Amino acid sequence: MLVSLLDQRLRRDAVQLAVWAAAAALLTYGSAFGVADTFGTDEERRSLLALALANPVILLFRGLPSGAEEGAFLIFLILPFLCLMIAIMAGFLAVRHTRAEEETERADLVSATPAARTLPLIATCIHGVIACVLFAVAVALALMATGLPASGAATTGLALLATGLAFFSLGAFWAQLVRSSRAANSLTVAVLLTTFLLAGIGNALGTPSDDLTRMQSSPLTWASPFGWAENVRPFADDDLRPLVPGVVVAALLIGAAALIHSRRDVGAGVVEARAARAEAGALLSTPWGLAWRLSAGSVVAWAIGAAVVGGLSTSLGSVVGEMATDNPAVAEILRRIAAQGSMDQGVLVTFYVMVGVLASCFGVQTVQRARQEEIHGTAEPTLATPVHRSTWLAAFLVAAVCGILVIVASAVAASAIALAVTGGESDRLRDAIVSGAGQVAAASVFVVLTAVVFTLLPRATIASGWALVVAAAALALFGTIFGLDEALIQLSPFAAVPTPDGDGIDPGGVWALATVVLVGGVTALTLMRRRELAPAG
């Protein structure tokens, strides 16, 4: 019975896991050659590391410097992003095969068999381990394929494995505490982003070496799974001891999840849902209000994250820009990002790419809620009223775009406040507005693309939505660093947006983005008119 349950999970996630592993391997392999081309000499690598250690803000979004050797330098640039990928994959997988199964009542059917309630959880844990191992092995093989030492590649794989298992266990734990998969996923992402930021701040507060090629992270880093992975220092120290806390945390969380699972009723949670009002308010009398109500909570969370990034873009961007003038390689990267603009414009644009990623995550999440409403059967009562299917989907699209506007506006407002506090140049506010407006267009592209997938291939909605955002973010954030062709980088909506260009504006691919949004939106709504509900696929 255990083998059958495990086989069912592997078959169900086969394509999704293959995509995650392939994306990680391609990112690793491509980055290695990009680093060799852009930072091919020891002097160039040392120059960038010195810049990073002299300006710790850079460490907020990169890894832990561990030396100027090619392998250690590559890991400094990409390990946090790889950890982020495996954490998202593992956390969502745990929730999908536990709490989501209970919501769709499939767990009840399995419980009625000899498998009872224990074997499905065991099968899910084994499945999670296999998924994390597959991801870690793919990255290790990609590193070895570039000619880097096998020992460092294996250490990198183990660091990723420990990170994945930690977040898998976290997702499984939240799935036992709360009554909805949406809440469990949101809590997992909240912890993920918080610990990612803790690791970055901990690295930034660390102590640099005398030759400015290594950073000794501060104690704050040890409160984060990302910090544990980075302190392994692959291709430098290859020290596996920092992974011990991750293994311990994973074991404790899985043990706690198993204990709670054995004591609670199917469908119940330790934290009970808040009692709702007996009568709905006027907002919920229309599909537009309902879609916004379902999305309102997550808007606040994403807007707070965007405000932090927006504030950093103007309060710290000028400092990085000034230091970049002493480093030709970094200066060239920032110039490419900002078209023909100045250094500080290039840094601001980079920060606003991150704002665009956050806004896109919200937009994709909102369209995915339509799919979740369909799966859970709550869309059917709504469509049983005089609400047309295309109107119902349009409500989610409008809610997504409105939320994107709120998120980007919070970033621009934070940029303005930071400028007022630090006494920065007023022109930077104009640059923030231009960059923010461009990222609204980019985020809207992901909304309509996910909606098109939702109408054509409903079961692929969740996986494809996140895959599109991750792939585009990797191109925009890593493409210039690794020397990719400009035409390839421009395929990412985040990189094709209008940007500040000195005293003017480079329109970039704004008309192409607008066309995609318009055509994609019309296509999705037209297809939805002819599509039946597909709760099972």
Side-chain angles (χ1 to χ4, degrees):
M1 183 62 71
L2 178 61
V3 174
S4 298
L5 291 171
L6 180 58
D7 180 66
Q8 180 268 335
R9 283 158 172 73
L10 291 172
R11 287 176 179 269
R12 177 181 174 185
D13 290 347
V15 174
Q16 189 173 149
L17 295 182
V19 170
W20 277 108
L26 288 173
L27 173 64
T28 304
Y29 191 79
S31 298
F33 282 99
V35 166
D37 182 57
T38 308
F39 302 98
T41 67
D42 184 75
E43 182 181 355
E44 289 174 329
R45 293 192 292 270
R46 286 178 176 273
S47 180
L48 181 59
L49 289 172
L51 171 67
L53 271 67
N55 296 272
V57 65
I58 297 178
L59 301 182
L60 288 172
F61 305 107
R62 296 298 175 194
L64 184 64
S66 300
E69 294 77 13
E70 188 173 345
F73 184 80
L74 172 65
I75 292 301
F76 158 65
L77 292 175
I78 69 171
L79 183 59
F81 194 74
L82 291 172
C83 287
L84 200 63
M85 290 176 65
I86 195 172
I88 293 172
M89 180 198 75
F92 284 6
L93 182 147
V95 175
R96 182 167 62 253
H97 290 287
T98 51
R99 178 56 64 178
E101 290 292 287
E102 294 185 39
E103 285 185 315
T104 56
E105 299 183 353
R106 287 195 290 262
D108 289 333
L109 299 177
V110 176
S111 298
T113 69
R117 295 187 60 195
T118 305
L119 286 182
L121 181 60
I122 295 175
T124 297
C125 291
I126 297 174
H127 178 43
V129 172
I130 292 174
C132 292
V133 168
L134 176 65
F135 187 102
V137 169
V139 172
L141 291 176
L143 289 170
M144 287 189 288
T146 64
L148 291 172
S151 59
T155 304
T156 304
L158 290 173
L160 290 172
L161 176 60
T163 303
L165 293 179
F167 281 97
F168 172 85
S169 61
L170 179 67
F173 176 72
W174 287 131
Q176 303 304 317
L177 287 186
V178 296
R179 294 189 60 181
S180 74
S181 59
R182 186 180 301 167
N185 281 329
S186 297
L187 288 169
T188 301
V189 171
V191 174
L192 187 153
L193 295 177
T194 300
T195 53
F196 183 84
L197 186 60
L198 281 177
I201 295 175
N203 291 337
L205 296 177
T207 304
S209 63
D210 292 337
D211 62 355
L212 293 181
T213 61
R214 287 174 63 99
M215 174 73 83
Q216 182 65 41
S217 58
S218 71
L220 184 62
T221 303
W222 293 92
S224 166
F226 295 96
W228 303 334
E230 291 167 5
N231 273 282
V232 170
R233 299 181 187 269
F235 299 105
D237 298 348
D238 288 331
D239 184 3
L240 296 179
R241 289 176 297 176
L243 299 182
V244 173
V247 175
V248 173
V249 167
L252 291 176
L253 288 175
I254 283 294
L259 180 62
I260 296 171
H261 181 76
S262 65
R263 294 174 179 268
R264 67 173 178 83
D265 293 331
V266 176
V270 175
V271 179
E272 295 296 328
R274 185 180 62 180
R277 295 187 301 178
E279 296 182 0
L283 179 67
L284 301 180
S285 63
T286 66
W288 314 94
L290 175 61
W292 178 253
R293 175 64 182 82
L294 291 172
S295 308
S298 58
V299 169
V300 176
W302 292 113
I304 292 174
V308 172
V309 177
L312 291 174
S313 70
T314 50
S315 61
L316 299 172
S318 59
V319 176
V320 179
E322 290 172 5
M323 293 298 299
T325 58
D326 298 327
N327 188 300
V330 176
E332 177 60 24
I333 288 172
L334 294 178
R335 286 194 186 97
R336 289 179 62 189
I337 293 174
Q340 302 302 316
S342 63
M343 296 294 180
D344 47 355
Q345 284 178 330
V347 175
L348 185 143
V349 169
T350 302
F351 275 97
Y352 267 85
V353 168
M354 300 173 191
V355 172
V357 172
L358 295 178
S360 299
C361 288
F362 166 78
V364 168
Q365 187 183 54
T366 301
V367 178
Q368 290 172 349
R369 280 200 175 93
R371 174 59 183 160
Q372 292 171 339
E373 292 290 301
E374 187 177 36
I375 293 173
H376 299 158
T378 48
E380 190 170 355
T382 302
L383 295 176
T385 67
V387 176
H388 198 278
R389 286 188 293 271
S390 58
T391 303
W392 174 74
L393 177 59
F396 283 94
L397 299 185
V398 170
V401 174
C402 289
I404 288 170
L405 288 170
V406 171
I407 291 168
V408 173
S410 69
V412 173
S415 296
I417 294 173
L419 281 173
V421 172
T422 60
E425 298 179 19
S426 59
D427 287 346
R428 296 291 79 78
L429 179 57
R430 179 198 70 105
D431 297 338
I433 294 173
V434 171
S435 299
Q439 294 303 330
V440 169
S444 299
V445 168
F446 295 101
V447 170
V448 298
L449 291 180
T450 306
V452 171
V453 174
F454 170 66
T455 57
L456 292 174
L457 299 169
R459 293 184 62 181
T461 302
I462 295 177
S464 63
W466 293 120
L468 287 170
V469 174
V470 169
L475 269 180
L477 293 174
F478 290 92
T480 51
I481 291 177
F482 300 132
L484 297 182
D485 186 80
E486 191 68 24
L488 179 61
I489 297 173
Q490 290 295 315
L491 292 177
S492 169
F494 299 124
V497 298
T499 54
D501 180 8
D503 294 330
I505 298 174
D506 179 1
V510 64
W511 295 115
L513 295 179
T515 301
V516 171
V517 171
L518 179 60
V519 174
V522 172
T523 300
L525 296 178
T526 301
L527 291 172
M528 193 63 193
R529 292 177 62 88
R530 301 177 180 275
R531 181 170 87 75
E532 298 294 337
L533 289 179

PDB file of all heavy atoms in Angstrom, residues 35 66 93 126 164 170 199 233 283 285 291 313 388 435 450 464 483 489 493:
ATOM      1  N   VAL A  35      29.875  33.378 -15.520  1.00  0.00           N
ATOM      2  CA  VAL A  35      30.884  33.900 -14.598  1.00  0.00           C
ATOM      3  C   VAL A  35      32.272  33.811 -15.223  1.00  0.00           C
ATOM      4  O   VAL A  35      33.083  34.737 -15.126  1.00  0.00           O
ATOM      5  CB  VAL A  35      30.836  33.121 -13.266  1.00  0.00           C
ATOM      6  CG1 VAL A  35      32.071  33.404 -12.430  1.00  0.00           C
ATOM      7  CG2 VAL A  35      29.587  33.505 -12.481  1.00  0.00           C
ATOM      8  N   SER A  66      33.189  33.743   0.039  1.00  0.00           N
ATOM      9  CA  SER A  66      34.056  32.727   0.632  1.00  0.00           C
ATOM     10  C   SER A  66      35.378  32.596  -0.110  1.00  0.00           C
ATOM     11  O   SER A  66      36.054  31.575  -0.003  1.00  0.00           O
ATOM     12  CB  SER A  66      33.351  31.369   0.648  1.00  0.00           C
ATOM     13  OG  SER A  66      32.153  31.426   1.391  1.00  0.00           O
ATOM     14  N   LEU A  93       5.079  21.403  -2.074  1.00  0.00           N
ATOM     15  CA  LEU A  93       4.826  19.970  -2.249  1.00  0.00           C
ATOM     16  C   LEU A  93       4.234  19.375  -0.987  1.00  0.00           C
ATOM     17  O   LEU A  93       3.282  18.573  -1.035  1.00  0.00           O
ATOM     18  CB  LEU A  93       6.130  19.258  -2.622  1.00  0.00           C
ATOM     19  CG  LEU A  93       6.069  17.754  -2.897  1.00  0.00           C
ATOM     20  CD1 LEU A  93       7.095  17.368  -3.959  1.00  0.00           C
ATOM     21  CD2 LEU A  93       6.311  16.934  -1.639  1.00  0.00           C
ATOM     22  N   ILE A 126       8.433  10.552   2.194  1.00  0.00           N
ATOM     23  CA  ILE A 126       9.389   9.904   1.293  1.00  0.00           C
ATOM     24  C   ILE A 126       9.421  10.631  -0.050  1.00  0.00           C
ATOM     25  O   ILE A 126      10.493  10.848  -0.634  1.00  0.00           O
ATOM     26  CB  ILE A 126       9.019   8.425   1.098  1.00  0.00           C
ATOM     27  CG1 ILE A 126       9.109   7.673   2.438  1.00  0.00           C
ATOM     28  CG2 ILE A 126       9.917   7.764   0.059  1.00  0.00           C
ATOM     29  CD1 ILE A 126       8.622   6.242   2.361  1.00  0.00           C
ATOM     30  N   GLY A 164      16.010  22.205   1.455  1.00  0.00           N
ATOM     31  CA  GLY A 164      14.732  21.697   0.980  1.00  0.00           C
ATOM     32  C   GLY A 164      13.985  20.915   2.038  1.00  0.00           C
ATOM     33  O   GLY A 164      12.767  21.080   2.219  1.00  0.00           O
ATOM     34  N   LEU A 170       8.604  22.293   7.273  1.00  0.00           N
ATOM     35  CA  LEU A 170       7.851  23.475   7.689  1.00  0.00           C
ATOM     36  C   LEU A 170       6.471  23.495   7.041  1.00  0.00           C
ATOM     37  O   LEU A 170       5.457  23.754   7.704  1.00  0.00           O
ATOM     38  CB  LEU A 170       8.625  24.739   7.321  1.00  0.00           C
ATOM     39  CG  LEU A 170       7.948  26.064   7.665  1.00  0.00           C
ATOM     40  CD1 LEU A 170       7.848  26.237   9.175  1.00  0.00           C
ATOM     41  CD2 LEU A 170       8.722  27.241   7.050  1.00  0.00           C
ATOM     42  N   ALA A 199      19.090  36.040   6.671  1.00  0.00           N
ATOM     43  CA  ALA A 199      20.410  35.612   6.203  1.00  0.00           C
ATOM     44  C   ALA A 199      21.142  36.763   5.530  1.00  0.00           C
ATOM     45  O   ALA A 199      22.351  36.962   5.743  1.00  0.00           O
ATOM     46  CB  ALA A 199      20.271  34.435   5.245  1.00  0.00           C
ATOM     47  N   ARG A 233      29.948  26.900   2.770  1.00  0.00           N
ATOM     48  CA  ARG A 233      31.002  27.455   1.914  1.00  0.00           C
ATOM     49  C   ARG A 233      31.539  26.414   0.916  1.00  0.00           C
ATOM     50  O   ARG A 233      32.723  26.045   0.961  1.00  0.00           O
ATOM     51  CB  ARG A 233      32.145  28.020   2.748  1.00  0.00           C
ATOM     52  CG  ARG A 233      31.735  29.156   3.680  1.00  0.00           C
ATOM     53  CD  ARG A 233      32.925  29.687   4.447  1.00  0.00           C
ATOM     54  NE  ARG A 233      32.539  30.667   5.453  1.00  0.00           N
ATOM     55  CZ  ARG A 233      32.463  31.989   5.253  1.00  0.00           C
ATOM     56  NH1 ARG A 233      32.726  32.470   4.053  1.00  0.00           N
ATOM     57  NH2 ARG A 233      32.122  32.803   6.226  1.00  0.00           N
ATOM     58  N   LEU A 283     -19.936  44.306  -0.292  1.00  0.00           N
ATOM     59  CA  LEU A 283     -18.779  44.031  -1.135  1.00  0.00           C
ATOM     60  C   LEU A 283     -18.863  42.661  -1.790  1.00  0.00           C
ATOM     61  O   LEU A 283     -18.435  42.475  -2.937  1.00  0.00           O
ATOM     62  CB  LEU A 283     -17.492  44.136  -0.312  1.00  0.00           C
ATOM     63  CG  LEU A 283     -16.175  43.849  -1.041  1.00  0.00           C
ATOM     64  CD1 LEU A 283     -15.914  44.923  -2.087  1.00  0.00           C
ATOM     65  CD2 LEU A 283     -15.023  43.767  -0.060  1.00  0.00           C
ATOM     66  N   SER A 285     -21.458  41.072  -2.764  1.00  0.00           N
ATOM     67  CA  SER A 285     -22.662  40.864  -3.585  1.00  0.00           C
ATOM     68  C   SER A 285     -22.347  40.802  -5.068  1.00  0.00           C
ATOM     69  O   SER A 285     -23.225  40.515  -5.879  1.00  0.00           O
ATOM     70  CB  SER A 285     -23.674  41.990  -3.326  1.00  0.00           C
ATOM     71  OG  SER A 285     -23.129  43.244  -3.716  1.00  0.00           O
ATOM     72  N   ALA A 291     -13.762  38.615  -5.533  1.00  0.00           N
ATOM     73  CA  ALA A 291     -12.378  38.375  -5.947  1.00  0.00           C
ATOM     74  C   ALA A 291     -11.416  39.255  -5.158  1.00  0.00           C
ATOM     75  O   ALA A 291     -10.341  38.805  -4.743  1.00  0.00           O
ATOM     76  CB  ALA A 291     -12.225  38.629  -7.447  1.00  0.00           C
ATOM     77  N   SER A 313      15.884  51.091  -2.419  1.00  0.00           N
ATOM     78  CA  SER A 313      16.309  51.485  -3.763  1.00  0.00           C
ATOM     79  C   SER A 313      16.828  52.913  -3.813  1.00  0.00           C
ATOM     80  O   SER A 313      17.741  53.219  -4.592  1.00  0.00           O
ATOM     81  CB  SER A 313      15.151  51.325  -4.752  1.00  0.00           C
ATOM     82  OG  SER A 313      14.151  52.300  -4.518  1.00  0.00           O
ATOM     83  N   HIS A 388     -21.685  35.335 -15.477  1.00  0.00           N
ATOM     84  CA  HIS A 388     -21.122  34.554 -16.576  1.00  0.00           C
ATOM     85  C   HIS A 388     -19.699  34.125 -16.232  1.00  0.00           C
ATOM     86  O   HIS A 388     -19.001  34.772 -15.460  1.00  0.00           O
ATOM     87  CB  HIS A 388     -21.121  35.377 -17.859  1.00  0.00           C
ATOM     88  CG  HIS A 388     -20.960  34.549 -19.104  1.00  0.00           C
ATOM     89  ND1 HIS A 388     -19.734  34.124 -19.551  1.00  0.00           N
ATOM     90  CD2 HIS A 388     -21.874  34.052 -19.976  1.00  0.00           C
ATOM     91  CE1 HIS A 388     -19.889  33.402 -20.652  1.00  0.00           C
ATOM     92  NE2 HIS A 388     -21.183  33.354 -20.936  1.00  0.00           N
ATOM     93  N   SER A 435      10.241  53.413 -13.261  1.00  0.00           N
ATOM     94  CA  SER A 435      10.555  51.996 -13.081  1.00  0.00           C
ATOM     95  C   SER A 435       9.361  51.235 -12.530  1.00  0.00           C
ATOM     96  O   SER A 435       9.067  50.114 -12.951  1.00  0.00           O
ATOM     97  CB  SER A 435      11.749  51.841 -12.138  1.00  0.00           C
ATOM     98  OG  SER A 435      12.899  52.471 -12.654  1.00  0.00           O
ATOM     99  N   THR A 450      -0.915  33.461 -17.158  1.00  0.00           N
ATOM    100  CA  THR A 450      -1.443  32.444 -16.248  1.00  0.00           C
ATOM    101  C   THR A 450      -2.926  32.216 -16.491  1.00  0.00           C
ATOM    102  O   THR A 450      -3.415  31.080 -16.410  1.00  0.00           O
ATOM    103  CB  THR A 450      -1.210  32.870 -14.786  1.00  0.00           C
ATOM    104  OG1 THR A 450       0.172  33.160 -14.586  1.00  0.00           O
ATOM    105  CG2 THR A 450      -1.613  31.760 -13.819  1.00  0.00           C
ATOM    106  N   SER A 464       2.707  26.236 -13.889  1.00  0.00           N
ATOM    107  CA  SER A 464       3.192  27.097 -14.970  1.00  0.00           C
ATOM    108  C   SER A 464       3.295  28.547 -14.543  1.00  0.00           C
ATOM    109  O   SER A 464       4.212  29.269 -14.956  1.00  0.00           O
ATOM    110  CB  SER A 464       2.268  26.972 -16.190  1.00  0.00           C
ATOM    111  OG  SER A 464       0.962  27.417 -15.874  1.00  0.00           O
ATOM    112  N   GLY A 483      26.577  37.771 -18.318  1.00  0.00           N
ATOM    113  CA  GLY A 483      26.976  38.099 -19.673  1.00  0.00           C
ATOM    114  C   GLY A 483      26.105  37.506 -20.760  1.00  0.00           C
ATOM    115  O   GLY A 483      26.588  37.267 -21.876  1.00  0.00           O
ATOM    116  N   ILE A 489      17.988  38.356 -22.739  1.00  0.00           N
ATOM    117  CA  ILE A 489      17.535  38.968 -21.488  1.00  0.00           C
ATOM    118  C   ILE A 489      16.218  39.700 -21.693  1.00  0.00           C
ATOM    119  O   ILE A 489      15.334  39.687 -20.822  1.00  0.00           O
ATOM    120  CB  ILE A 489      18.613  39.937 -20.956  1.00  0.00           C
ATOM    121  CG1 ILE A 489      19.891  39.171 -20.617  1.00  0.00           C
ATOM    122  CG2 ILE A 489      18.112  40.692 -19.734  1.00  0.00           C
ATOM    123  CD1 ILE A 489      21.047  40.073 -20.238  1.00  0.00           C
ATOM    124  N   PRO A 493       9.897  39.816 -19.233  1.00  0.00           N
ATOM    125  CA  PRO A 493       9.123  41.059 -19.106  1.00  0.00           C
ATOM    126  C   PRO A 493       9.739  42.042 -18.121  1.00  0.00           C
ATOM    127  O   PRO A 493       9.625  43.259 -18.289  1.00  0.00           O
ATOM    128  CB  PRO A 493       7.753  40.573 -18.625  1.00  0.00           C
ATOM    129  CG  PRO A 493       7.649  39.170 -19.135  1.00  0.00           C
ATOM    130  CD  PRO A 493       9.044  38.623 -19.058  1.00  0.00           C
TER     131      PRO A 493
END
